[in-house]
Amino acid sequence: MHSTDVLHRLSDTVDGFLRSEKEFDLTDPAANGLVGGRFRALGDQIGATVLAGVPEEDVAAIVQPAKSACARSPFMRDENEWARGYPSDFRLVEHVLAQANGGAPGTLGWHVEAQLQRSALAQQLRNRVVHQARLIGDCLTAPRSGPRRILVIDSGAAPDLRTLPPGIVRPGDRFVLTDVDPDALELAQQRLGPLNEFTTAVPGNIFRAIPKLAEQGPYDLVLANGLYGYLNDRAAVRLTEAVLTKLTRPGSTVYFAGTVPGNEFRWPLEYLMDWQVIERDEQAVRALLPRCDVSVTQDPTGLALLTHARVR
């Protein structure tokens, strides 16, 4: 198809999405399905346009009005603004976990918010937190001969730790949280309650923080959340090498989550939310983990790749 035809199709799809404000009664919750259909159609058409070879800047210019409309949803705005200058704002994670709708009722933003909060995209994020909490619980309750040390990289406000049942932590156990955002660690401290007694926070860039983290180790369990989705292969290999050689010991478990290639949310994420995630398939993930016994599974949505590695 000629690129001009593709651009026209994209422009028409953007116009159709924006016309939702006039053509639907947005005060009626039943309109949500109609808005959702147009939002998904917009994502599909963005993808078709990019794959047709249209320059990214041309695509971005055409979808800008839709992007501005979507920004009325707090879910979208948190990522769009990125006030701290880096992705994966912990406030977005907390917002998704709360399953709240912060959009003004009766607006396009409210309907976009409702669609996103019910989407597989949001659910896989919740699934990741639940999975990490389960890994922490398993580490703490498994037979052991001494205290456990657990490192959470890209910890945010530690929503996984906050779900631990009372009494599961024993004297001498230690949690170490590290995040580039000091506000995330401050919120973690506010919400962890009695677990603060067992927790140490190390703020800063993960690569610069390695020496301080090593002083607290070695760790029985290292959780890297979704950080690998923001690291190119060179940086991912560098982090993996540091974790394996400086932060763990034989028998330790290393875990991180990623996004599977070809998922339907890629184009809305990139062009409507400025949220670019590096996708890796199982083969690419395994290549990052030499000298480890690796297990790779998908979360129930099929969007997240959950990688577990046992250090030899």
Side-chain angles (χ1 to χ4, degrees), residues 278-297:
I278 296 174
E279 301 172 343
R280 291 185 176 92
D281 60 16
E282 182 174 342
Q283 181 179 359
V285 165
R286 288 182 178 277
L288 298 174
L289 293 160
R291 306 188 306 279
C292 292
D293 297 317
V294 180
S295 170
V296 181
T297 60

Side-chain angles (χ1 to χ4, degrees), residues 242-258:
V243 169
L244 295 180
T245 61
K246 299 178 180 180
L247 303 180
T248 57
R249 58 188 169 206
S252 297
T253 297
V254 178
Y255 163 82
F256 61 87

Side-chain angles (χ1 to χ4, degrees), residues 27-248:
T27 63
D28 182 358
N32 191 244
L34 300 173
V35 174
R38 293 191 178 184
F39 182 75
R40 288 189 293 274
L42 176 57
D44 292 343
Q45 193 57 49
I46 291 173
T49 306
V50 173
L51 295 176
V54 176
E56 293 183 5
E57 58 270 21
D58 293 343
V59 177
I62 292 175
V63 303
Q64 181 58 49
K67 181 178 177 181
S68 297
C70 288
R72 301 171 202 167
S73 159
F75 189 110
M76 307 285 277
R77 188 168 59 246
D78 283 347
E79 280 297 342
N80 267 336
E81 292 179 352
W82 281 0
R84 292 159 185 77
Y86 41 81
S88 198
D89 190 324
F90 74 96
R91 287 188 172 87
L92 173 67
V93 175
E94 296 294 323
H95 185 73
V96 173
L97 293 176
Q99 301 188 50
N101 191 328
T107 65
L108 195 57
W110 185 93
H111 286 278
V112 170
E113 178 97 353
Q115 284 289 317
L116 290 171
Q117 285 285 31
R118 290 201 300 267
S119 71
L121 176 67
Q123 187 56 48
Q124 61 87 29
L125 190 153
R126 299 182 194 110
N127 291 345
R128 292 185 188 192
V129 173
V130 170
H131 188 73
Q132 287 209 162
R134 186 179 300 119
L135 291 176
I136 294 171
D138 289 347
C139 181
L140 293 174
T141 57
R144 50 164 152 167
S145 58
R148 295 295 196 188
R149 290 191 172 271
I150 296 174
L151 170 63
V152 187
I153 301 172
D154 189 29
S155 66
D160 37 21
L161 282 185
R162 291 173 359 221
T163 66
L164 293 181
I168 196 173
V169 184
R170 302 180 190 178
D173 289 342
R174 200 77 200 154
F175 304 112
V176 178
L177 309 179
T178 183
D179 198 286
V180 71
D181 192 334
D183 289 348
L185 297 175
E186 182 178 347
L187 182 60
Q189 184 179 32
Q190 293 171 8
R191 296 188 175 180
L192 280 173
L195 282 179
N196 277 306
E197 179 183 346
F198 302 91
T199 304
T200 300
V202 180
N205 176 285
I206 180 58
F207 294 104
R208 299 193 191 99
I210 291 294
K212 289 185 178 180
L213 297 175
E215 292 174 2
Q216 303 284 336
Y219 301 93
D220 301 285
L221 175 64
V222 176
L223 306 170
N225 286 314
L227 180 60
Y228 276 74
Y230 301 101
L231 302 177
N232 61 29
D233 287 348
R234 181 178 179 181
V237 168
R238 179 185 170 196
L239 176 58
T240 302
E241 186 66 21
V243 169
L244 295 180
T245 61
K246 299 178 180 180
L247 303 180
T248 57

